[in-house]
């Protein structure tokens, strides 16, 4: 899902206003980005006054749609607009009546954690005819609705655009038939359309991830992990068929995430003779001691002659040629089911906010747009350009051919607290290193292991099955290298280590800096090194995301869901939950968005006793509504005096007679468990990219028969910045680091905190001085 070109942009997440515009334009990756600055920002709580917005879900359902609906409703109400549900998709739009009902703040409560779509979705033949669309237009005009938010796939969004293009004609038809008055036609003279893509296949151009894709991967990986245990018991080959009639994203990422032996996707038909190649591959895996084989196939997989490659065909092939005990499993609609992941809840919420702003900012000349995700940023794209442009096939990580072994030795170590996804990064780094012809070394127990010489060669088979395992198989410790530098330099020389891959948290970052500083004294340390951020706290300078944070976020979100559910019967209960993260409030903030919290206390957003009083008063008012429960998140080090116990006692005292309180400290359960698909995939990409970068850097640093690297750019952090994965010198990141509190000085996710408060019904003011949009999707000319 990440851009690799390394170019930066000036696009800001969201904030919409009306007023004079000053625009500056840049071209990036074939897309024209327009940054808009508003000289006359308006009160966002008045933007929607006198306006009406309808929201519908159409086509196949996807987990996370409800989060998008919830955000659309609540932000719409926040702006002063009326918001309407359209039940049963376009069919409800055509039928009207009770299918179009006004939404309230409470009507979307407890919707966030539900899969599917609460307002219903249906295929609609009536809407395909002009007569049906005229009925739909009449229903909207009668309610004064001129803004439509459609959540669905490309077919649903194409239908919405056609509806908008015909709007004037439909009004004339209704006017001539006497079904609407001239005043009603004038009041509804144009229709604004904004789309959000809800599809588990991730098959829409212009967005990195569609709503529902991450949750579908969760369902698939749950099945793969379960199947793996039974397959190992009986030495079986398992063929798993996943959805993806025209797009192989689910199959490809599943294969990367579980370490499958083979994957078939529609976009990349296998070479001629693939049957023999597959059998050789499976036979080799058994010969080196593997007890199971996993083959992933997308339902739309084809060979080079256009003939379908089905799971049954592959099963028959493996059974007949190899005699393996083989089973085939077709997942089907289980991939659409279940609760949405934390990623999809946050994605849906962010898209819903941006959709409302896009609708309220639209003019009659604004093309229908779709709200998309690019890196960690929400952007707007012209709807029909996205539908028309063919999405490029995601490049699979090719296994490649083994080259002759070189004399390059790359050591890998884990540093800091363990987290889910570390093992996936190690596995990827090891195997890519071997493919590049390097000798890979495993360092056990972090910098201590490097100092004590607990170092051993690590081969291809050693890391088999590591992708789905949590924690750190290499072992990890928090010790920093400063006091062990002499021993470390001796062991680097003894084991002839030419490069280091350091995977870990803030200790890995600080340790890398200490190694760079010690280069002046120890020549052995003049080797390239790369730090891969891996920590649940997501507090590493130089990267917007860290391996492990998504798994921890899902653990917190799932726990919050269960805690909220426990209050469904008792009512009038407020839960105070403490999360990890050190001084970094990422987990508390994002879990608050994903779980629908009323407040999230963090160090980066200072609070005082007045703020606590305001939050208590907010909950006292909330208990007067139909939503009689509260959820408060507190980062473990947000304030030394306002502890979890203090906040619990304060809320208990002030809420006496109205609500009671419970507290829960989640603790180290946030670091455990199997990694999510995101962390498996992210770790795999990071490990591969790190070793490929080291390979190039080693060539640059090879002088006079030896490796010598002492420039700042030879010791880097590999991180994701907005839309690209880039390498940044450790020394360049020092100024952006608060070493006392172990956090970066600038953190992108702080911009999302106002959304958390708006969705919790706080009366706050948004910063609407800037907005960002993407005006066109332009195909690259002369691209190969």
């Amino acid at each position: 899902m990440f851009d690799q070109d390394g170019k930066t942009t000036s696009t800001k997440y969201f904030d919409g206003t009306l007023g004079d515009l000053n625009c500056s334009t840049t071209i990036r990756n074939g897309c024209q980005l327009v940054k808009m600055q508003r000289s006359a920002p308006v009160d966002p709580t008045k933007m929607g006054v006198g306006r009406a917005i309808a929201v519908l879900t159409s086509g196949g359902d996807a987990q996370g749609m409800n989060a998008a609906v919830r955000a659309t409703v609540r932000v719409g109400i926040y702006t002063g607009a009326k918001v309407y549900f359209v039940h049963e998709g376009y069919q409800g739009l055509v039928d009207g009546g009770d299918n179009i009902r006004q939404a309230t703040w409470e009507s979307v409560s407890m919707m966030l954690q539900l899969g599917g779509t609460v307002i219903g979705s249906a295929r609609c033949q009536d809407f395909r005819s002009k007569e049906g669309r005229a009925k739909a237009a009449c229903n909207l005009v009668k309610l004064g609705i001129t803004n439509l938010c459609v959540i669905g796939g490309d077919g649903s969004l194409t239908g919405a655009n056609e509806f908008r293009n015909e709007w004037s004609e439909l009004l004339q038809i209704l006017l001539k038939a006497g079904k609407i008055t001239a005043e009603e036609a004038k009041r509804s003279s144009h229709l604004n359309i904004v789309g959000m893509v809800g599809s588990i296949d991730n098959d829409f151009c212009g967005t990195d991830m569609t709503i529902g894709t991450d949750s579908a991967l969760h369902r698939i990986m749950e099945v793969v992990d379960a199947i793996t245990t039974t397959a190992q018991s009986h030495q079986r080959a398992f063929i798993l068929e996943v959805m993806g009639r025209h797009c192989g994203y689910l199959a490809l990422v599943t294969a990367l995430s579980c370490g499958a032996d083979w994957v078939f996707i529609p976009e990349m038909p296998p070479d001629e003779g693939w049957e023999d190649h597959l059998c050789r591959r499976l036979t080799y895996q058994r010969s080196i001691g593997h007890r199971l084989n996993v083959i992933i196939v997308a339902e739309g997989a084809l060979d080079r002659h256009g003939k379908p490659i089905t799971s049954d065909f592959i099963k028959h092939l493996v059974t007949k040629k190899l005699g393996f005990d083989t089973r085939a499993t077709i997942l089907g609609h289980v991939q659409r089911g279940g609760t949405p992941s934390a990623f999809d809840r946050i994605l849906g919420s962010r898209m819903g906010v941006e959709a409302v702003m896009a609708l309220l900012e639209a003019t009659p000349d604004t093309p229908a747009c779709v709200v998309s995700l690019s890196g960690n940023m929400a952007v707007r794209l012209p709807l029909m350009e996205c539908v028309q442009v063919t999405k490029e096939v995601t490049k699979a990580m090719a296994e490649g051919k083994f080259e002759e072994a070189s004399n390059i030795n790359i050591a890998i170590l884990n540093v800091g607290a363990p987290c889910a996804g570390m093992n996936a990064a190690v596995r990827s780094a090891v195997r890519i290193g071997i493919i590049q012809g390097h000798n890979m070394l495993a360092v056990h127990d972090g910098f201590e292991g490097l100092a004590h010489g607990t170092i051993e060669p690590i081969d291809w088979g050693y890391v088999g099955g590591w992708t789905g395992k949590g924690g750190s198989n290499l072992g990890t410790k928090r010790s920093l290298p400063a006091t062990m530098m002499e021993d470390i330099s001796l062991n680097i020389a003894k084991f002839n280590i030419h490069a280091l891959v350091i995977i870990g948290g803030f200790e890995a970052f600080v340790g890398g800096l200490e190694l760079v500083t010690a280069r002046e004294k120890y020549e052995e340390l003049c080797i390239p090194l790369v730090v891969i951020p891996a920590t649940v706290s997501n507090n590493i300078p130089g990267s917007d995301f860290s391996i492990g944070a998504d798994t921890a976020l899902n653990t917190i979100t799932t726990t919050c869901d269960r805690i909220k559910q426990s209050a469904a019967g008792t009512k009038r209960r407020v839960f105070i939950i403490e999360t990890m993260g050190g001084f970094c409030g990422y987990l508390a903030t994002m879990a608050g968005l994903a779980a629908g919290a009323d407040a999230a206390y963090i160090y980066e957003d200072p609070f005082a006793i007045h703020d606590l009083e305001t939050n208590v008063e907010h909950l006292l008012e909330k208990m007067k509504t139909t939503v009689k429960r509260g959820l408060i998140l507190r980062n473990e080090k947000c304030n030394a005096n306002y502890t979890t116990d203090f906040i619990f006692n304060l809320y208990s005292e002030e809420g006496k007679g109205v609500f009671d309180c419970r507290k829960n400290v989640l603790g180290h359960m946030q670091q455990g468990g199997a990694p999510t698909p995101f962390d498996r995939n992210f770790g795999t990409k990071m490990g591969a990219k790190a070793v490929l970068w080291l390979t190039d850097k080693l060539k640059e640093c090879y002088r006079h028969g030896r490796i010598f690297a002492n420039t700042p750019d030879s010791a880097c952090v590999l991180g994701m910045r907005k839309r690209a994965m880039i390498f940044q010198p450790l020394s360049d990141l020092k100024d952006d680091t608060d070493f006392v509190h172990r956090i970066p000085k600038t953190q992108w996710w702080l911009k999302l905190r106002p959304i958390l408060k708006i969705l919790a019904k706080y009366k706050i003011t948004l910063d609407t001085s800037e907005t960002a949009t993407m005006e066109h999707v332009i195909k690259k000319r002369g691209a190969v």
Side-chain angles (χ1 to χ4, degrees):
M1 64 173 281
F2 307 116
D3 236 330
Q4 303 289 328
D5 61 11
K7 297 180 182 177
T8 60
T9 73
S10 58
T11 306
K12 188 177 177 182
Y13 162 57
F14 114 99
D15 288 337
T17 62
L18 302 174
D20 297 332
L21 299 181
N22 296 315
C23 300
S24 60
T25 307
T26 56
I27 298 292
R28 177 196 167 279
N29 198 26
C31 298
Q32 185 179 25
L33 302 176
V34 176
K35 181 175 180 180
M36 297 183 180
Q37 293 186 341
R38 308 285 182 176
S39 58
V42 299
D43 182 355
T45 61
K46 302 291 192 298
M47 289 178 67
V49 173
R51 312 277 291 276
I53 300 170
V55 57
L56 66 85
T57 53
S58 177
D61 63 301
Q63 309 96 319
M65 279 184 166
N66 289 324
V69 171
R70 172 181 176 268
T72 302
V73 169
R74 290 193 168 178
V75 175
I77 293 172
Y78 166 82
T79 64
K82 289 183 179 179
V83 186
Y84 291 84
F85 291 134
V86 179
H87 293 270
E88 311 307 333
Y90 284 120
Q91 191 65 56
L93 201 63
V94 173
D95 294 342
D98 288 341
N99 287 304
I100 306 176
R101 294 198 290 259
Q102 188 169 350
T104 64
W105 194 276
E106 290 80 10
S107 63
V108 292
S109 180
M110 291 299 284
M111 181 185 284
L112 196 58
Q113 64 266 38
L114 299 178
T117 166
V118 170
I119 60 176
S121 178
R123 310 286 181 184
C124 179
Q125 291 299 322
D126 292 340
F127 195 74
R128 295 177 183 272
S129 68
K130 184 163 288 189
E131 181 184 357
R133 292 193 291 274
K135 289 181 181 179
C138 183
N139 291 326
L140 292 180
V141 169
K142 290 297 182 182
L143 292 170
I145 299 169
T146 57
N147 300 280
L148 183 61
C149 180
V150 178
I151 308 169
D154 57 350
S156 302
L157 300 182
T158 302
N161 189 70
E162 184 178 356
F163 188 42
R164 180 182 186 272
N165 291 338
E166 289 183 341
W167 185 255
S168 296
E169 182 183 349
L170 295 174
L171 292 184
Q172 291 302 315
I173 292 172
L174 294 172
L175 198 56
K176 289 179 180 177
K179 294 184 178 179
I180 63 173
T181 65
E183 180 61 29
E184 287 174 329
K186 183 179 178 181
R187 195 168 54 241
S188 303
S189 58
H190 68 274
L191 178 69
N192 297 320
I193 295 283
V194 169
M196 287 182 268
V197 190
S199 167
I200 68 168
D201 292 339
N202 201 32
D203 55 357
F204 192 82
C205 172
T207 186
D208 291 338
M209 287 283 273
T210 56
I211 296 170
T213 301
D214 188 69
S215 299
L217 286 169
H218 275 253
R219 300 295 91 77
I220 295 168
M221 291 313 305
E222 287 165 6
V223 173
V224 171
D225 288 346
I227 281 176
T228 297
T229 55
T230 182
Q232 285 179 328
S233 301
H234 299 279
Q235 295 194 60
R236 284 178 174 153
F238 260 94
I239 301 151
L240 195 71
E241 183 177 304
V242 301
M243 284 186 170
R245 189 170 297 119
H246 304 293
C247 179
Y249 183 86
L250 287 179
L252 179 61
V253 175
T254 299
L256 281 171
S257 300
C258 73
D261 296 288
W262 203 279
V263 60
F264 295 93
I265 61 175
E267 299 91 333
M268 195 176 290
D271 294 331
E272 297 288 351
W274 64 267
E275 297 90 343
D276 292 334
H277 190 181
L278 171 63
C279 291
R280 288 197 304 272
R281 168 72 179 173
L282 300 183
T283 302
Y284 171 74
Q285 289 295 96
R286 291 294 177 94
S287 71
I288 60 175
H290 287 204
R291 293 179 59 84
L292 80 156
N293 302 108
V294 177
I295 300 167
I296 309 295
V297 55
E299 61 178 331
L302 305 168
D303 65 15
R304 292 196 174 272
H305 303 288
K307 181 181 177 182
I309 299 175
T310 65
S311 53
D312 284 339
F313 178 81
I314 300 168
K315 176 185 176 182
H316 178 73
L317 171 70
V318 174
T319 303
K320 183 179 179 181
K321 284 203 168 189
L322 302 179
F324 288 178
D325 186 2
T326 307
R327 298 287 189 273
T329 300
I330 301 175
L331 289 190
H333 281 74
V334 71
Q335 295 160 88
R336 293 190 186 276
T339 186
S341 66
F343 182 97
D344 275 329
R345 298 184 197 195
I346 295 168
L347 176 62
S349 298
R350 292 181 68 185
M351 297 301 100
V353 174
E354 184 70 18
V356 172
M357 291 301 171
L359 283 171
L360 297 182
E361 290 173 2
T363 68
D365 297 325
T366 305
C369 78
V370 61
V371 178
S372 304
L373 179 74
S374 182
N376 67 349
M377 303 169 66
V379 295
R380 304 174 195 170
L381 301 171
L383 191 154
M384 289 315 297
E385 289 189 24
C386 293
V387 172
Q388 291 164 9
V389 176
T390 304
K391 188 170 178 64
E392 293 183 1
V393 180
T394 304
K395 292 183 180 179
M397 186 175 70
E399 188 172 301
K401 295 183 178 180
F402 291 97
E403 300 174 1
E404 293 184 6
S406 69
N407 292 320
I408 295 297
N409 300 318
I410 298 179
I412 304 176
L413 62 155
N414 294 160
V415 177
C419 67
M422 273 185 165
N423 293 324
V426 172
R427 170 186 174 271
S428 175
V430 167
R431 291 192 169 180
I432 289 295
I434 292 171
I435 289 171
Q436 293 295 309
H438 306 317
N439 303 312
M440 305 304 292
L441 301 174
V443 180
H444 298 279
D445 301 325
F447 287 120
E448 284 188 21
L450 196 57
H452 299 153
T454 53
I455 303 168
E456 63 176 349
I458 186 168
D459 60 22
W460 187 280
Y462 191 95
V463 293
W466 279 28
T467 308
K469 294 181 179 178
S472 167
N473 286 359
L474 290 182
T476 181
K477 291 191 176 181
R478 294 180 179 270
S479 307
L480 292 173
T483 59
M484 304 176 280
M485 211 62 78
E486 180 77 28
D487 292 332
I488 287 174
S489 63
L490 290 173
N491 279 321
I492 286 176
K494 177 181 176 181
F495 289 91
N496 198 24
I497 295 172
H498 301 106
L500 285 175
V501 178
I502 306 171
I503 304 170
F506 200 81
E507 291 85 358
F509 174 76
V510 175
L513 277 172
E514 291 181 355
L515 290 176
V516 171
T517 303
R519 283 175 171 179
E520 296 179 4
K521 185 176 180 180
Y522 301 99
E523 189 176 319
E524 295 85 354
L525 300 179
C526 292
I527 57 175
L529 66 89
V530 60
V531 174
I532 298 177
T535 168
V536 301
S537 301
N538 195 33
N539 63 335
I540 309 302
S543 187
D544 293 342
F545 294 104
S546 296
I547 297 167
D550 185 71
T551 303
L553 185 56
N554 276 276
T555 299
I556 298 168
T557 303
T558 302
T559 304
C560 288
D561 285 350
R562 293 174 179 173
I563 287 172
K564 284 172 67 178
Q565 191 64 42
S566 73
T570 55
K571 300 188 182 299
R572 297 184 180 278
R573 182 163 288 176
V574 174
F575 293 92
I576 297 158
I577 298 175
E578 181 181 297
T579 67
M580 295 181 82
F583 287 96
C584 182
Y586 175 82
L587 287 179
T589 297
M590 301 305 269
L593 268 174
D598 294 283
Y601 300 122
I602 64 171
Y603 168 78
E604 295 92 338
D605 190 0
F607 59 97
I609 192 68
H610 173 71
D611 300 295
L612 295 175
E613 291 173 355
T614 300
N615 295 147
V616 171
E617 291 167 2
H618 175 79
L619 286 171
L620 290 171
E621 288 299 313
K622 186 177 182 181
M623 294 301 162
K624 297 176 183 178
T625 71
T626 57
V627 186
K628 301 183 186 299
R629 63 188 166 277
L631 179 67
I632 305 294
L633 297 181
R634 179 190 177 274
N635 170 248
E636 60 183 344
K637 292 187 178 180
C638 65
N639 190 293
N641 297 311
Y642 299 139
T643 63
T644 301
D645 287 335
F646 177 90
I647 293 174
F648 169 74
N649 292 332
L650 175 68
Y651 274 64
S652 297
E653 181 64 29
E654 296 299 319
K656 191 177 292 183
V658 180
F659 60 79
D660 61 351
C661 293
R662 297 290 187 273
K663 66 179 176 180
N664 194 318
V665 179
L666 300 186
H668 283 77
M669 67 181 291
Q670 296 161 83
Q671 289 181 340
T676 59
F678 181 95
D679 278 330
R680 299 183 196 201
N681 192 26
F682 192 34
T684 299
K685 289 179 177 180
M686 295 285 268
K689 194 169 180 67
V691 172
L692 292 173
W693 178 82
L694 283 174
T695 301
D696 291 337
K697 191 59 64 176
L698 285 164
K699 293 175 184 176
E700 293 177 17
C701 300
Y702 186 78
R703 301 169 191 164
H704 309 299
R706 68 190 185 102
I707 304 295
F708 185 79
N710 65 348
T711 57
D713 66 352
S714 64
C716 289
V717 171
L718 169 57
M720 182 179 174
R721 286 291 204 185
K722 292 186 177 178
R723 308 180 185 197
M725 292 169 66
I726 61 175
F727 292 88
Q728 299 161 91
L730 284 161
S731 56
D732 289 357
L733 295 169
K734 289 171 67 174
D735 292 339
D736 188 41
T737 305
D738 178 351
F739 286 95
V740 175
H741 298 102
R742 298 160 55 93
I743 56 174
K745 292 179 181 177
T746 55
Q747 303 190 80
W748 68 273
W749 50 267
L750 287 172
K751 297 176 184 177
L752 303 185
R753 286 187 61 79
I755 298 174
L756 171 65
K757 294 177 182 178
I758 289 170
L759 295 178
K761 209 177 182 179
Y762 282 91
K763 295 179 180 178
I764 66 164
T765 301
L766 281 174
D767 172 16
T768 55
S769 59
E770 261 187 33
T771 187
T773 186
M774 188 178 289
E775 289 295 329
H776 298 288
V777 180
I778 306 170
K779 288 185 178 180
K780 286 184 176 180
R781 298 289 183 257
V784 178

